[in-house]
Amino acid sequence: MSSPVGETLLTVCRDARNKLLLVAPYIKVAALVKVLDATSPGVSVQVITRWRLDELVSGVSDLAIWPALCARGHAELWLQPSLHAKYYRADNRSILGSANLTGAGLGWSASSNLELLVESSHLAEHLSLFESEAFRDAKKVDDAIYLAFKIALDSLLPLPPPQLEDPQIDNVKFATWRPSLRFPQDMWRYYSGDRNALTTASCEAARLDLAALDPPAALTQDVFHSWIALQLRQHPEVQAIEAFGVQSRRFGEMTSLLSSLGAQDGAHAWQTWMRWLGYFDPTRFKFHVANYSEIFEVVAPTQ
């Protein structure tokens, strides 16, 4: 099935000589493979997308794009949780519009969408800034992060349909958010509606944290726990913590790191992160006390 939108993308891919960048929140493996087949094997490919368990369960995106990229070689996959843009660039030639990298988006399915992709090389300066912003807070995928998503996805029952956005919910930007709730086990209590034992301050902190993490409604406790752990792995500050913690670090070193990342009170910020990481991802992040100082280390760094 031919489509002007899909053919526009394939033409750009065929013309690539050095680098191909594919940016879309929804990517289906069949559409990705079709694009990769149109691209010269010597071209380096970078893909930016987002993975949410509810979207993966519903089928709008495929985890299988990671094995497909690995099989091709010369390819990277990055996760950007706040991604909404659809943007494709081959060397210095760029197109953007409304089309996700899916059969429906590119006109390659029987029930295709009405979409648009247009060349936009005259916006080179703006697009370069967009690329920098997209990569800055993105998480590079490897086998460990892929496996974590796959295990969580395989354990899920079908999720309920997404709720309409509540205009009363705070708009908290995930990339700049830090956890507010001091005791992370209270997140489930607030989410599940069991709030009688929570203070007013804890309820307010949990509400803001949930606004940033944005889980679907009606998750079971185990799935909710997995959801939060996977979201945290994609957070830019956790990525910095993870990279710094490849070597054992003392409490003072971690507070200095958090202060350098913008925390007004590095000690308080690290104490809160310690509780969250130790609670939601205890197999990856380890803590112990030695010589009167809390020691932190990453047991199995993802990259």
Side-chain angles (χ1 to χ4, degrees):
M1 179 179 296
S2 62
S3 160
V5 174
E7 191 57 37
T8 297
L9 179 56
L10 292 179
T11 298
V12 169
C13 293
R14 293 186 190 107
D15 291 343
R17 293 294 176 265
N18 298 302
K19 180 178 177 181
L20 177 66
L21 175 63
L22 307 170
V23 181
Y26 300 158
I27 301 180
K28 298 289 286 181
V29 66
L32 175 64
V33 169
K34 188 167 184 174
V35 166
L36 295 178
D37 286 346
T39 306
S40 172
V43 171
S44 173
V45 177
Q46 290 182 306
V47 179
I48 306 178
T49 191
R50 77 183 189 205
W51 281 350
R52 289 174 53 104
L53 289 178
D54 52 337
E55 293 172 350
L56 293 165
V57 167
S58 71
V60 296
S61 287
D62 291 335
L63 276 181
I65 65 173
W66 170 245
L69 288 169
C70 291
R72 181 196 186 272
H74 302 291
E76 296 177 349
L77 178 62
W78 296 76
L79 300 181
Q80 172 52 267
S82 61
L83 182 65
H84 190 265
K86 296 86 176 175
Y87 167 68
Y88 310 96
R89 178 172 64 80
D91 300 328
N92 295 322
R93 187 176 178 188
S94 303
I95 56 175
L96 57 83
S98 63
N100 280 293
L101 217 172
T102 64
L106 295 168
W108 297 334
S109 72
S111 55
S112 295
N113 305 327
L114 180 62
E115 304 280 8
L116 179 69
L117 284 178
V118 295
E119 193 152 359
S120 51
S121 298
H122 63 288
L123 299 174
E125 182 178 352
H126 298 283
L127 296 177
S128 178
L129 291 173
F130 164 77
E131 289 185 21
S132 297
E133 183 72 14
F135 276 111
R136 187 179 65 188
D137 296 329
K139 171 75 172 178
K140 190 176 181 181
V141 175
D142 60 11
D143 286 337
I145 196 71
Y146 164 76
L147 184 60
F149 269 95
K150 189 175 187 303
I151 291 171
L153 189 63
D154 289 346
S155 70
L156 291 182
L157 296 172
L159 294 176
Q163 295 181 321
L164 295 176
E165 290 188 12
D166 183 349
Q168 301 303 315
I169 296 296
D170 295 79
N171 182 20
V172 181
K173 187 176 181 181
F174 176 72
T176 56
W177 161 85
R178 289 190 182 93
S180 303
L181 189 62
R182 191 163 178 82
F183 299 105
Q185 59 269 31
D186 288 341
M187 284 288 287
W188 169 251
R189 296 189 179 99
Y190 183 88
Y191 172 85
S192 65
D194 182 20
R195 305 172 186 174
N196 291 335
L198 301 181
T199 65
T200 300
S202 292
C203 285
E204 176 64 12
R207 183 176 66 84
L208 292 173
D209 291 338
L210 283 178
L213 294 163
D214 193 26
L219 300 178
T220 64
Q221 186 170 4
D222 287 345
V223 174
F224 176 79
H225 195 287
S226 295
W227 176 280
I228 300 300
L230 290 171
Q231 288 291 88
L232 292 180
R233 285 201 192 183
Q234 299 176 70
H235 192 277
E237 196 155 278
V238 174
Q239 293 179 51
I241 289 169
E242 193 171 14
F244 194 60
V246 172
Q247 298 179 357
S248 296
R249 302 291 182 177
R250 293 185 175 275
F251 184 87
E253 292 179 284
M254 298 307 300
T255 60
S256 296
L257 173 68
L258 270 295
S259 296
S260 73
L261 295 174
Q264 292 185 347
D265 185 339
H268 177 79
W270 177 233
Q271 286 172 342
T272 306
W273 272 127
M274 283 174 59
R275 291 186 174 95
W276 277 64
L277 297 176
Y279 181 75
F280 285 112
D281 212 347
T283 62
R284 180 170 301 278
F285 302 103
K286 294 295 185 182
F287 305 88
H288 67 275
V289 176
N291 296 325
Y292 306 101
S293 178
E294 292 170 300
I295 306 299
F296 163 73
E297 61 182 331
V298 178
V299 175
T302 60
Q303 27 181 339

